[in-house]
């Protein structure tokens, strides 16, 4: 089910920008979908939107209050619940990407039921998906894949969608994680579906489309991550990508959360993704590299990109530093 | 949680042996855990056990009534529910591997609660599992992997466990599917866990053990199955197998349920499993081949095994026709 837009972004009492990074991501990628932000006393984050009350947000046309913040210790504070309930009463739906479900709070659940409002706990899939058919679908698909988790796959996908749309191409970002779902208003938290349906869920969110349309599917994890490679494999098979983009953070000392696992080489990561991806799309190929060089100085970063480009024979970019235009140039 | 043994096997009104194959599997592999069978009028299946009433089964010491049958059309018949409730009243726990949960039947759920009985719907994981750590565990592990689904991986694993135990080796079958769980009384339906926890669940059910102990982990799916390869990948990573056994059914025309997908060659399947498995166990190797040659005549089957053995340089067996002794001979 689609989350109703526009949004009023709830930043709660976020102690810093990092705690509100979901809200900031929504603002960065879908500013037109955000009427304002609602902050509690003590909030040190700022998404750069007008501060509004519940009533003001409603007045400005917002339909959903989005809790774009991390909560601490797995508890939803009572100060949030007061605001969330007030939002329901004022006519808002609620959306959040927390590990806890807002709908597990009896007060919110009962209020929403009574008033006929929706609560979207986007980390918890509410739909059931079919087993993947593996059948070829019309339309084109691009998937960013990573040497590791958290190396810029969502950012890369959104940047490529934006670049394509700016060129008048048909493109749709397809969200597979909670922040992506809140940004677009739909998608599936692919790591939270039942294992049998990983590929089937991806087939469902990126269905057959116009022959020249690109689905830009949000990647997750890595084939080389010992905890999550099953998710990455099922995602790759369900996506049936025509085009892969290799995502990499060059300063990482080991796989995220696994100090005893080294990162794969870029070449090994490409080979594994081509081999695995070719099961459902024999024509899969890499079209570029998207790195997160934010931890390097400018000259180091540019040298790294130049070397990567020479080594791999692919456009090597940093979506923030250089943009992704040269990757889009490299598509058919 | 372990399922209490011994069992009384419930065959219901199974129209033929195939519909009762779970019950028959339990009897074949754990006859000592079965006190008898309970059949309804019209049942055409026979697990080869004494027919008993609920009261007789209880008298014989049975602790759990196991519904070892398939139901039709996703409905649990009222004739079954009457018996299952009577069993709860008589002191039995219940166990089943149906798609439907027995515990979703309000009558059974409420009766079980009132009397303090357990209902084990083994297709639906009731435990939560951690994210995989990827850390090396003591003890040895063997995993059957397949060119396709349903090509004898559970049977192979159970046959290898039996062969090892008959030689005085330390070995434990670790179930990852509903029939395996009912056979052993514990395990996890790996295709039903949340995707993020596939590998972690396998790490949990096959934990550190004596250095000379073998966990024989039930395999699932295939790296080459477009619907389920994510499950197979996560299972392979979590198992960290020292030894792989290649399972194959040589007459299959295409991947199960996917008429447009050809089976991989045995060599390609071995290479992919070694490549993927080496992430969490760099020393992984194949120790044998276990085929289901039941659709071949004896001379064709033996010729196929001889050719496979020559081609791959590994003991090639059919667990039913030739046994798996030569695979166990080939372990360190």
């Amino acid at each position: 089910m689609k989350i109703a837009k526009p949004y009023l972004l709830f930043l709660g009492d976020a102690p810093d920008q990092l705690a509100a990074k979901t809200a900031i991501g929504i603002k960065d990628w879908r500013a037109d979908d955000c009427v304002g932000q609602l902050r509690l006393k003590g909030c040190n984050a700022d998404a750069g939107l007008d501060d509004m009350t519940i009533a003001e947000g409603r007045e400005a046309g917002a339909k959903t209050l989005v809790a774009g913040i991390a909560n601490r210790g797995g508890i939803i504070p009572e100060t949030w619940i007061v605001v969330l309930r007030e939002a329901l009463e004022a006519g808002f739906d609620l959306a959040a990407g927390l590990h806890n479900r807002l709908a597990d709070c009896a007060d919110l659940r009962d209020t929403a039921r009574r008033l006929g409002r929706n609560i979207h706990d986007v980390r918890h899939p509410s739909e059931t998906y079919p087993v993947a058919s593996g059948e070829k679908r019309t339309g084109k698909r691009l998937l960013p894949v990573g040497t590791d988790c958290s190396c810029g796959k969502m950012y890369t996908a959104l940047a490529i969608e934006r670049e394509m749309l700016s060129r008048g191409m048909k493109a749709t970002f397809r969200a597979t994680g909670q922040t992506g779902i809140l940004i677009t208003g739909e998608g599936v938290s692919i790591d939270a579906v039942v294992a049998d349906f990983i590929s089937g869920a991806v087939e469902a969110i990126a269905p057959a489309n116009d022959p020249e349309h690109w689905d830009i599917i949000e990647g997750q994890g890595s084939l080389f991550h010992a905890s999550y490679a099953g998710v990455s494999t099922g995602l790759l098979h369900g996506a049936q990508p025509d085009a892969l983009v290799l995502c990499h953070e060059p300063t990482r000392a080991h796989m995220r959360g696994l100090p005893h696992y080294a990162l794969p080489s870029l070449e090994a990561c490409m080979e594994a993704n081509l081999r695995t991806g070719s099961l459902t799309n024999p024509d899969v190929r890499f079209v570029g590299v998207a790195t997160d060089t934010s931890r390097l100085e400018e000259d180091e970063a540019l040298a790294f990109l130049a070397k990567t480009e020479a080594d791999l024979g692919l456009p090597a970019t940093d979506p923030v530093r250089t943009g992704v235009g040269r990757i889009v140039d490299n598509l058919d």
Side-chain angles (χ1 to χ4, degrees), chain A residues 54-127:
Chain A
I54 292 285
E56 289 166 348
R58 195 74 187 138
E59 184 75 18
K63 293 184 175 150
T64 302
L65 183 74
V66 178
I69 34 179
N71 59 336
R72 279 159 292 184
I75 288 167
I76 301 174
E78 185 57 33
T79 49
W80 296 14
I81 293 182
V82 171
V83 175
L84 296 170
R85 187 180 47 222
E86 184 190 341
L88 289 170
E89 300 276 1
F92 280 93
D93 287 346
L94 302 180
L98 305 172
H99 282 286
N100 321 50
R101 295 172 211 249
L102 296 182
D104 280 345
C105 170
D107 191 355
L108 297 178
R109 184 185 60 229
D110 295 346
T111 304
R113 271 197 199 143
R114 177 168 53 81
L115 299 170
R117 313 277 185 255
N118 297 307
I119 298 181
H120 302 278
D121 284 305
V122 302
R123 203 183 278 261
H124 304 273
S126 53
E127 296 185 41

Side-chain angles (χ1 to χ4, degrees), chain A residues 158-202:
Chain A
L158 286 160
I160 289 173
E161 182 203 39
R162 180 173 281 177
E163 177 73 21
M164 286 180 163
L165 293 175
S166 78
R167 297 184 185 196
M169 298 169 69
K170 294 184 188 173
T172 311
F173 171 77
R174 302 296 188 183
T176 64
Q178 64 272 7
T179 301
I181 297 170
L182 293 173
I183 288 172
T184 59
E186 61 187 330
V188 61
S189 258
I190 197 66
D191 60 7
V193 302
V194 166
D196 246 1
F197 306 104
I198 305 170
S199 299
V202 178

Side-chain angles (χ1 to χ4, degrees), chain A residues 28-29 152-160 173 218 318-320 324:
Chain A
D28 285 348
W29 294 105
K153 289 181 286 284
M154 182 187 78
Y155 194 101
T156 298
L158 286 160
I160 289 173
F173 171 77
E218 183 185 358
D318 177 323
V320 174
V324 294

